Amino acid sequence: KLPEFKDPFGTLTPNQPCRLCIHIPSSVAASDVQCVIEHEDGTPALAVPMDFSSQIGAYDMFTGSFQLRQPGLFFYYFRIVAHTGPFRLFKQGDDTNMEAGDKWQVSCVPADFTTPSWAKGASIYQVFPDRFHRSGTCDLTGKLKPYTIHEDWNEEVCWQPTADGKVLNNDFYGGNFRGITEKMDYIASLGTTILYLNPISKSFSSHRYDTGDYKTPDPMLGTEEDFAALCDAAHARGIQVILDGVYSHTGSDSLYFDREGSFGGNGAFCSQNSPYYSWYTFHRWPYSYNSWWGFETLPTVNKMDPAFIEYVITGEDSVVAHWLRAGADGFRLDVADELPSEFLDLLKKRVRQIKPDALVIGEVWEDASNKISYNRRCRYFVDGMLDSVMNYPFRTAILNFMARQDDGHGLRNTVMTIAENYPPQVLHCNMNLLGTHDTPRILTALVDSFDGSREELAKRHLPPEQYTTARELLMAASVLQYTLPGSPSLYYGDEAGMEGGKDPFNRRTYPWGDEDRTLLEHFKILGRLRKEHAALREGMIRFFRYDSGKLGFFRELAGKKLRICINRSEESWEIPAGKLLLGHNLQTVAPTWLTLNPLGFCILEEM
């Protein structure tokens, strides 16, 4: 995970030379060193001779070069002949046994794999449409029933199940397209360059992941003209709009399945002659069918069914074509690991055909460069299927560091592993998130791990002292989110001090007029700094400290260098001064030195 041992450090393209370097203790008396490169299935690819080049202290340095001929995922280790005999060297873990641990990874990606320039180092703002802002009223003709509308914007979300134990998620607050448009100046004030909207298609539930009609906006959100006006307002402020693409399942209450008969009885549940019947897998029609994670309201679709492919991707007025032409600039694909490679490949090519600089992001919770899903290796990058993914590994690493479960080594290793495994054009587009609609509010997650019943969570709020601690932690965590490689993704309201446990308490309404002004100003500064400093958007990263709760790294681009320091320890940390761009819990002790107190952080420009 150090650039000096592999050049280039990250992924390769076909026939691109790569130089490896390995330091072996001189006491080993290595007489022959080879790097053994294997295909992802373990079959041999290359044996690269490593030549002795010099001695550095107590180590002999061996170097070698190779090229990979075609895109793919590869792994490698070293075979060493010592005076005691041959042995293999793997990537070391905690075990001192040199043959223990994993192999190193290297990916070869297509030479023509590009990502949109506007998405590199972007600042993303995620909006859950029903809960952000409402303006006026909408024509609810065609709204799927039953539903309830909260008269009070600040009323608690409905969490109680029905008498038969079902959670319907059918309570609405009336957040709509016009409401989002009215707040576009506010969204822009956060430094936003991408607005990501959770699903907007006509659906039964407030989360709208149970699609009812892919090509029609939910009546409560407004009309397609309202959506186009939203996109126009965003574009006028330099903000691109991406939508949630939910293609692994539909709603049971939908044009395509129509279990409730809301759409005229032409769905697959109603007739085996339905044009949508082949979309679904029935065990015993109509009541027994494949559904997403067992939720009967979410029947899964056969993604490679020709009729589904044409409707969503390849048709002249397909779903993706429809929304791109309506003003959208790309898609975030829900549960991307449940979408076959062939589906992703078709979708990406069609999206780029319609809008050459459109963005395709995948929901992936793990390292997307080597993920195995449903017994198949995902080829998101080696086949250029996704422009980026949701960067949950960074979130986990940041939370562990802030919780003092990691002294800094773990976070640094996670960051450098992702930086090495992902193509740079993907790395800078990654959604660096702390909170989403699928996680507890980050303010809560930082100080309260309680995971009880919905009734218990509804009553649970942070007391003032705990809130103050959470705010301090969030300010430090967000500095990491906004300064590590990638595109920070801010979940609506996190900047305002919203709290809450898991769904639905992470989906409360934005507290207009009751924001935490300290947090809000902090996030506005972070957004502004990213716009002003290209090094934060696309610069290289180099850690200079990662121990004892003290974390420091550089971001550098075109001769401009920023230094970021975070102190999660219980003691002060003296650091060299620089031009202070942002600081908290620090003091000047001399013209050339700063003291970073516990939970202190700073962003400095090197002069």
Side-chain angles (χ1 to χ4, degrees), residues 76-103:
Y76 63 93
Y77 64 92
F78 296 92
R79 183 184 296 130
I80 300 170
V81 178
H83 67 89
T84 56
F87 66 93
R88 296 178 302 168
L89 178 65
F90 293 87
K91 184 163 52 174
Q92 298 303 118
D94 296 329
D95 199 315
T96 56
N97 178 3
M98 287 184 289
E99 296 205 23
D102 298 323
K103 298 171 185 175

Side-chain angles (χ1 to χ4, degrees), residues 1-278:
K1 300 184 182 70
L2 291 175
E4 53 262 41
F5 292 102
K6 179 170 171 281
D7 182 26
F9 175 66
T11 58
L12 306 175
T13 55
N15 300 314
Q16 179 182 15
C18 180
R19 179 177 177 273
L20 291 177
C21 176
I22 182 173
H23 291 185
I24 302 174
S26 299
S27 58
V28 171
S31 59
D32 183 72
V33 181
Q34 284 188 339
C35 175
V36 179
I37 302 177
E38 299 174 340
H39 295 282
E40 63 176 272
D41 62 4
T43 58
L46 290 171
V48 182
M50 306 286 290
D51 299 322
F52 173 82
S53 60
S54 64
Q55 186 174 10
I56 301 177
Y59 290 87
D60 293 338
M61 187 167 74
F62 289 79
T63 61
S65 298
F66 68 93
Q67 295 172 312
L68 298 172
R69 302 301 181 187
Q70 70 280 328
L73 178 63
F74 300 84
F75 295 92
Y76 63 93
Y77 64 92
F78 296 92
R79 183 184 296 130
I80 300 170
V81 178
H83 67 89
T84 56
F87 66 93
R88 296 178 302 168
L89 178 65
F90 293 87
K91 184 163 52 174
Q92 298 303 118
D94 296 329
D95 199 315
T96 56
N97 178 3
M98 287 184 289
E99 296 205 23
D102 298 323
K103 298 171 185 175
W104 285 271
Q105 174 183 315
V106 60
S107 292
C108 184
V109 302
D112 60 353
F113 178 21
T114 60
T115 58
S117 58
W118 55 263
K120 295 186 179 79
S123 292
I124 305 170
Y125 193 69
Q126 179 187 349
V127 164
F128 194 84
D130 183 61
R131 310 290 162 85
F132 184 63
H133 183 58
R134 68 185 176 201
S135 174
T137 59
C138 295
D139 181 1
L140 297 180
T141 303
K143 177 62 188 166
L144 295 176
K145 301 175 181 179
Y147 61 85
T148 60
I149 300 178
H150 295 269
E151 296 298 326
D152 182 355
W153 180 257
N154 298 311
E155 193 172 297
E156 179 63 285
V157 293
C158 290
W159 55 267
Q160 299 91 340
T162 60
D164 56 356
K166 295 180 179 179
V167 178
L168 297 181
N169 293 306
N170 65 337
D171 62 311
F172 293 83
Y173 289 82
N176 53 14
F177 292 143
R178 291 199 298 272
I180 297 171
T181 304
E182 284 186 5
K183 294 296 183 180
M184 200 62 72
D185 282 338
Y186 168 78
I187 293 171
S189 75
L190 294 165
T192 304
T193 57
I194 295 177
L195 174 61
Y196 157 41
L197 301 179
N198 285 113
I200 63 171
S201 294
K202 180 176 181 178
S203 305
F204 172 79
S205 74
S206 57
H207 57 68
R208 300 189 174 99
Y209 282 95
D210 53 338
T211 308
D213 182 345
Y214 278 115
K215 298 181 186 179
T216 303
D218 194 277
M220 196 166 284
L221 290 174
T223 64
E224 194 164 306
E225 290 71 26
D226 293 329
F227 173 74
L230 181 158
C231 292
D232 288 343
H235 295 156
R237 293 163 176 80
I239 300 171
Q240 310 296 315
V241 180
I242 62 171
L243 302 179
D244 233 320
V246 188
Y247 307 130
S248 67
H249 52 269
T250 68
S252 59
D253 193 358
S254 67
L255 171 66
Y256 321 105
F257 201 78
D258 206 12
R259 193 180 67 178
E260 310 304 324
S262 306
F263 291 84
N266 198 34
F269 183 89
C270 306
S271 170
Q272 290 177 290
N273 294 320
S274 166
Y276 312 111
Y277 183 79
S278 62

